[in-house]
């Protein structure tokens, strides 16, 4: 893919955006404070990796996220290997964490943990403060779908709808489902639903992320 007008290009050390019969490559654009909130291209090797990245991007503590940021060489079982880290999270505090995403079956194998240990050893201490291992199986298909939709909605700023929707939810004694909020906000239902997705993303409202969030989904105001 060539340059996209108004969008910063992908800058990872390795481009995983090739055709594959076994992996599900995800392309997306994202914004962070480090990019002055300008859209930038990201490429992930799986839907789970993309979901992890989006959940990180939705966190208010994040300053930047880098995709495919660093390749290291290591040796295991007498063989030389290369590994490119999935993600690098940079927090507002300055802390930097590399992210290793792998499915549960792989993480159940001792060999995988030997690889992780070797990767940690091979990664320069200046690259990050730590390496976080994430089980891709924790991201169900429904959770991934919700995160993708929330990320899309967060890109569409609508502060009026967010404020009115949260105010209605906080003052509704009979709140049970998202649709209960609709009659109490003088805005089109579509705007209110999108505001609910943004509020869940920002943890102002809570819902079961392992069920696709619909108008009939149960929702609560976060404590």
């Amino acid at each position: 893919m060539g340059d996209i007008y108004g969008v910063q290009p992908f800058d990872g050390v390795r481009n995983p955006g090739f055709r594959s019969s076994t992996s599900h490559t995800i392309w997306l654009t994202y914004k962070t404070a480090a990019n002055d909130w300008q859209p930038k291209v990201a490429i992930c090797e799986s839907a789970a990796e993309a979901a992890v990245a989006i959940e990180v991007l939705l966190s208010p503590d994040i300053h930047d996220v880098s995709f495919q940021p660093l390749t290291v060489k290591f040796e295991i079982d007498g063989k030389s290997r290369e590994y490119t880290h999935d993600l690098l999270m940079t927090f507002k505090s300055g802390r930097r964490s590399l992210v290793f995403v792998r499915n549960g079956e792989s993480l159940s194998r001792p060999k995988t943990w030997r690889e992780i240990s070797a990767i940690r050893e091979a990664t320069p201490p200046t690259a990050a403060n730590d390496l976080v291992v994430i089980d891709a199986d924790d991201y169900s298909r429904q959770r991934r779908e919700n995160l993708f939709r929330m990320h899309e909605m967060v890109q569409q700023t609508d502060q009026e709808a967010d404020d009115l929707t949260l105010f209605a939810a906080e003052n509704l004694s009979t709140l049970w489902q998202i649709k209960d909020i609709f009659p109490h906000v003088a805005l089109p239902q579509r705007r209110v639903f999108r505001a609910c997705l943004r509020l869940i993303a920002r943890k102002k409202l809570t819902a079961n992320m392992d069920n696709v969030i619909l108008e009939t989904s149960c929702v609560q105001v976060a404590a």
Side-chain angles (χ1 to χ4, degrees):
M1 181 180 291
D3 292 341
I4 306 171
Y5 179 76
V7 180
Q8 298 180 31
F10 176 72
D11 62 0
V13 299
R14 171 178 167 270
N15 185 338
F18 51 83
R19 290 188 178 186
S20 172
S21 60
T22 57
S23 64
H24 184 189
T25 304
I26 301 288
W27 295 64
L28 65 141
T29 59
Y30 68 105
K31 302 175 183 178
T32 65
N35 298 330
D36 198 24
W37 302 109
Q38 296 301 306
K40 186 175 181 177
V41 172
I43 309 174
C44 299
E45 289 190 273
S46 69
E49 185 180 315
V52 171
I54 287 173
E55 188 167 53
V56 170
L57 286 164
L58 292 175
S59 169
D61 300 324
I62 287 294
H63 176 70
D64 194 18
V65 177
S66 300
F67 295 76
Q68 306 288 315
L70 171 71
T71 297
V72 297
K73 294 181 179 181
F74 64 99
E75 186 174 300
I76 185 169
D77 298 335
K79 296 181 180 179
S80 296
R81 300 276 300 278
E82 280 192 355
Y83 172 77
T84 300
H85 287 281
D86 297 324
L87 305 168
L88 173 63
M89 307 181 293
T90 302
F91 295 87
K92 290 179 179 178
S93 64
R95 185 174 186 83
R96 290 155 58 87
S97 296
L98 290 161
V99 179
F100 181 101
V101 182
R102 195 67 65 85
N103 62 51
E105 181 182 356
S106 177
L107 291 176
S108 69
R109 301 170 186 159
K111 181 180 178 181
T112 300
W113 287 98
R114 292 202 308 274
E115 288 180 358
I116 293 170
S117 179
I119 290 166
R120 279 198 177 105
E121 289 284 334
T123 302
T126 54
N129 298 98
D130 57 5
L131 173 65
V132 179
V133 178
I134 295 180
D135 187 343
D137 293 351
D138 290 339
Y139 291 79
S140 64
R141 184 172 183 176
Q142 294 88 345
R143 181 174 289 266
R144 295 196 305 262
E145 175 65 21
N146 287 329
L147 287 168
F148 296 155
R149 292 161 71 208
M150 287 176 187
H151 183 251
E152 181 181 356
M153 291 303 104
V154 166
Q155 312 306 303
Q156 303 173 20
T157 305
D158 189 347
Q159 195 61 50
E160 178 189 30
D162 293 358
D163 290 344
L164 291 174
T165 300
L166 181 58
F167 180 82
E170 290 175 333
N171 290 276
L172 187 60
S173 60
T174 57
L175 177 60
W176 178 246
Q177 297 177 326
I178 286 178
K179 66 179 182 179
D180 295 335
I181 302 174
F182 296 158
H184 302 275
V185 183
L187 293 174
Q189 182 173 315
R190 184 177 182 181
R191 282 182 68 186
V192 178
F193 180 72
R194 292 185 171 196
C196 286
L197 288 176
R198 284 190 293 270
L199 292 169
I200 294 169
R202 293 171 179 145
K203 302 190 186 306
K204 300 293 186 180
L205 297 177
T206 62
N208 184 349
M209 289 288 288
D210 290 310
N211 288 327
V212 175
I213 296 173
L214 303 170
E215 290 84 350
T216 53
S217 296
C218 294
V219 67
Q220 291 181 323
V221 176

